[in-house]
Amino acid sequence: DVKVTQSSRYLVKRTGEKVFLECVQDMDHENMFWYRQDPGLGLRLIYFSYDVKMKEKGDIPEGYSVSREKKERFSLILESASTNQTSMYLCASSLGTFTQYFGPGTRLTVL
Amino acid sequence: EDQVTQSPEALRLQEGESSSLNCSYTVSGLRGLFWYRQDPGKGPEFLFTLYSAGEEKEKERLKATLTKKESFLHITAPKPEDSATYLCAVQAGGGNQFYFGTGTSLTVIP
């Protein structure tokens, strides 16, 4: 079974803090994705990566950056957290152009 | 602009009352349509992938079908444990991106 894990289930940070969200997959998938999910807006793609050290902007990259130093690990960074970044963050991975498998999510609250 | 629309937004069913959820899409070059189940506070769980019109997939009480413009998720004799939000996503064009609908929240009442 594909396993995607995320570093935290719940996280509370203060405005202006630098926040790291980490995602690890164990199936040697080349593609990894970061989404945020908000009520009424569905899942929106922040960034994705199709190879180590490669990244592509999604639909809402502003205020975020990513890092992929190893194939199994994809990090989302909020350089200076703001209250409008309070959300559920979901990581996913896929092999080629096939099904994306999701992690359990991180509920981030920025105060 | 590529779009994925799910209806209804919310659905309440009595246990055993069969129904269908709809996912309509307007994309160029559909490469795959995906159904996920999401429980509150958790990540989406993969259910089905459909690749071409006419294709059908089944799993327990769920059956997914695909036409050129929409997909249906049929739920037969649902149970309370089927209560969840069901998400639809499409993959189109040449990239790896998925386009998600906003989901249907299903509640099955005992």
Side-chain angles (χ1 to χ4, degrees):
Chain A
D1 276 355
V2 175
K3 191 155 177 84
V4 180
T5 57
Q6 295 183 227
S7 50
S8 305
R9 292 298 310 275
Y10 301 94
L11 210 51
V12 179
K13 295 292 182 181
R14 298 218 172 264
T15 303
E17 280 193 81
K18 190 168 186 175
V19 181
F20 293 87
L21 302 181
E22 192 166 76
C23 175
V24 177
Q25 51 93 4
D26 68 354
M27 285 303 291
D28 203 34
H29 285 174
E30 61 245 25
N31 300 317
M32 296 188 75
F33 307 80
W34 275 108
Y35 295 87
R36 63 177 285 176
Q37 185 176 31
D38 301 286
L41 297 177
L43 275 78
R44 293 180 292 167
L45 182 64
I46 304 171
Y47 268 97
F48 66 99
S49 169
Y50 51 88
D51 201 352
V52 176
K53 297 192 187 292
M54 305 300 286
K55 62 184 179 185
E56 293 279 347
K57 292 180 180 179
D59 299 319
I60 51 163
E62 297 78 20
Y64 303 95
S65 62
V66 290
S67 172
R68 193 164 181 204
E69 297 295 320
K70 293 185 178 181
K71 191 174 185 179
E72 68 270 18
R73 196 176 299 265
F74 191 34
S75 299
L76 180 69
I77 303 152
L78 288 65
E79 295 290 340
S80 178
S82 64
T83 55
N84 62 13
Q85 291 178 311
T86 292
S87 187
M88 172 71 127
Y89 289 87
L90 291 161
C91 174
S93 73
S94 74
L95 182 65
T97 59
F98 298 107
T99 304
Q100 291 187 18
Y101 294 92
F102 285 83
T106 295
R107 173 73 65 184
L108 172 67
T109 302
V110 182
L111 301 174
Chain B
E1 181 181 313
D2 294 340
Q3 279 204 335
V4 180
T5 304
Q6 290 188 247
S7 62
E9 286 188 20
L11 182 64
R12 288 172 64 89
L13 299 173
Q14 290 293 134
E15 184 172 2
E17 180 187 0
S18 301
S19 188
S20 297
L21 283 54
N22 177 263
C23 172
S24 63
Y25 58 90
T26 53
V27 298
S28 300
L30 179 76
R31 289 163 56 213
L33 186 140
F34 304 81
W35 282 99
Y36 291 84
R37 169 192 170 124
Q38 187 175 24
D39 293 302
K42 297 187 176 180
E45 174 189 344
F46 170 69
L47 292 173
F48 303 111
T49 306
L50 302 166
Y51 291 108
S52 57
E55 191 174 357
E56 298 182 352
K57 294 272 179 76
E58 279 189 75
K59 180 180 178 180
E60 296 180 355
R61 295 177 292 281
L62 300 176
K63 179 179 174 181
T65 62
L66 180 65
T67 73
K68 288 187 178 180
K69 292 184 179 180
E70 59 192 348
S71 176
F72 291 94
L73 184 65
H74 306 278
I75 302 176
T76 302
K79 298 182 177 181
E81 54 262 42
D82 294 322
S83 297
T85 294
Y86 291 85
L87 299 171
C88 164
V90 300
Q91 188 177 41
N96 292 331
Q97 285 185 264
F98 278 26
Y99 299 93
F100 280 86
T102 53
T104 293
S105 175
L106 174 67
T107 303
V108 182
I109 304 159

